[in-house]
Amino acid sequence: MQDGIEWVDLVDQNDCVVKQVCRNQAMLDGLKYIRAINVFIINQQGKLWIPRRAKTKRFYPGCLDVGVGGCVQAGETYDQACKRELQEEIGDSWKNKHIRSVVKLSPVNNPVSSFMHVYEMLVPTGFEISYPSEEFTEHFWLTPYEVIDRVARGDGAKSDLLHLIKIVYKI
């Protein structure tokens, strides 16, 4: 972040940096050649922590979301962005947890909104996650099938959520 503006790397079809662009403008322009991370938080019962985005969010207000996610800032690696986003969205509750990279996706050959690394964080059943109210308003522990069912019944979801569940959990 520089002067209150979040800069992200614009990349080519091979995920190589071309230049830096303003994140808000990239999102408004629907640019797919930027980088993002998403982290599914899953408990030992196979249920995903699915938060509802705050209604004040500029994109997908009030919608279900992948546990944690966000754009990779200019000059950051995917792994650095993963740690930063975890800290911003759920505080210290991610520390000392097993986080693994699950899949790397490209919008060139996948139905996703950007170049994306997806991670998974395993937590014990009953694990409590605190989050700032400006990020999320509520959360649910749901199986991947329950998430799909909620969205099918009309609950709004961030555009990548169902695609990522189907890819990561092979549904």
Side-chain angles (χ1 to χ4, degrees):
M1 180 128 15
Q2 180 180 350
D3 300 325
I5 298 172
E6 187 177 352
W7 293 92
V8 296
D9 291 328
L10 185 67
V11 296
D12 64 16
Q13 64 184 12
N14 298 311
D15 197 15
C16 296
V17 177
V18 175
K19 66 179 182 175
Q20 282 75 43
V21 295
C22 170
R23 176 188 175 268
N24 281 344
Q25 194 59 51
M27 300 288 283
L28 288 172
D29 291 346
L31 296 179
K32 288 182 173 265
Y33 284 23
I34 60 173
R35 296 171 167 167
I37 63 94
N38 282 288
V39 182
F40 280 112
I41 300 171
I42 188 167
N43 68 21
Q44 293 167 328
Q45 293 178 321
K47 292 189 174 187
L48 303 172
W49 183 76
I50 301 293
R52 184 176 306 282
R53 294 168 62 83
K55 292 187 186 301
T56 55
K57 291 295 223 178
R58 186 172 190 176
F59 301 101
Y60 304 103
C63 290
L64 300 178
D65 201 350
V66 176
V68 169
C71 289
V72 177
Q73 293 181 354
E76 253 184 341
T77 66
Y78 287 99
D79 288 348
Q80 290 169 333
C82 177
K83 291 175 184 175
R84 178 183 48 76
E85 288 291 346
L86 282 163
Q87 188 66 40
E88 287 176 7
E89 294 185 11
I90 63 171
D92 289 335
S93 60
W94 69 274
K95 293 186 175 176
N96 301 316
K97 302 293 179 286
H98 179 69
I99 300 165
R100 67 183 184 101
S101 178
V102 179
V103 67
K104 298 174 184 178
L105 301 169
S106 162
V108 174
N109 51 18
N110 291 284
V112 293
S113 63
S114 60
F115 281 86
M116 190 176 296
H117 283 210
V118 181
Y119 299 81
E120 189 177 66
M121 182 173 87
L122 180 63
V123 298
T125 299
F127 184 75
E128 291 296 321
I129 298 172
S130 61
Y131 46 85
S133 59
E134 62 269 10
E135 292 291 335
F136 308 118
T137 58
E138 62 182 337
H139 68 276
F140 311 93
W141 287 99
L142 304 168
T143 67
Y145 289 102
E146 289 171 329
V147 176
I148 291 168
D149 183 58
R150 280 187 84 120
V151 174
R153 288 186 286 122
D155 208 344
K158 198 170 173 186
S159 66
D160 288 325
L161 179 60
L162 293 184
H163 296 303
L164 294 179
I165 285 175
K166 290 175 182 177
I167 290 167
V168 171
Y169 299 104
K170 298 176 181 26
I171 296 176

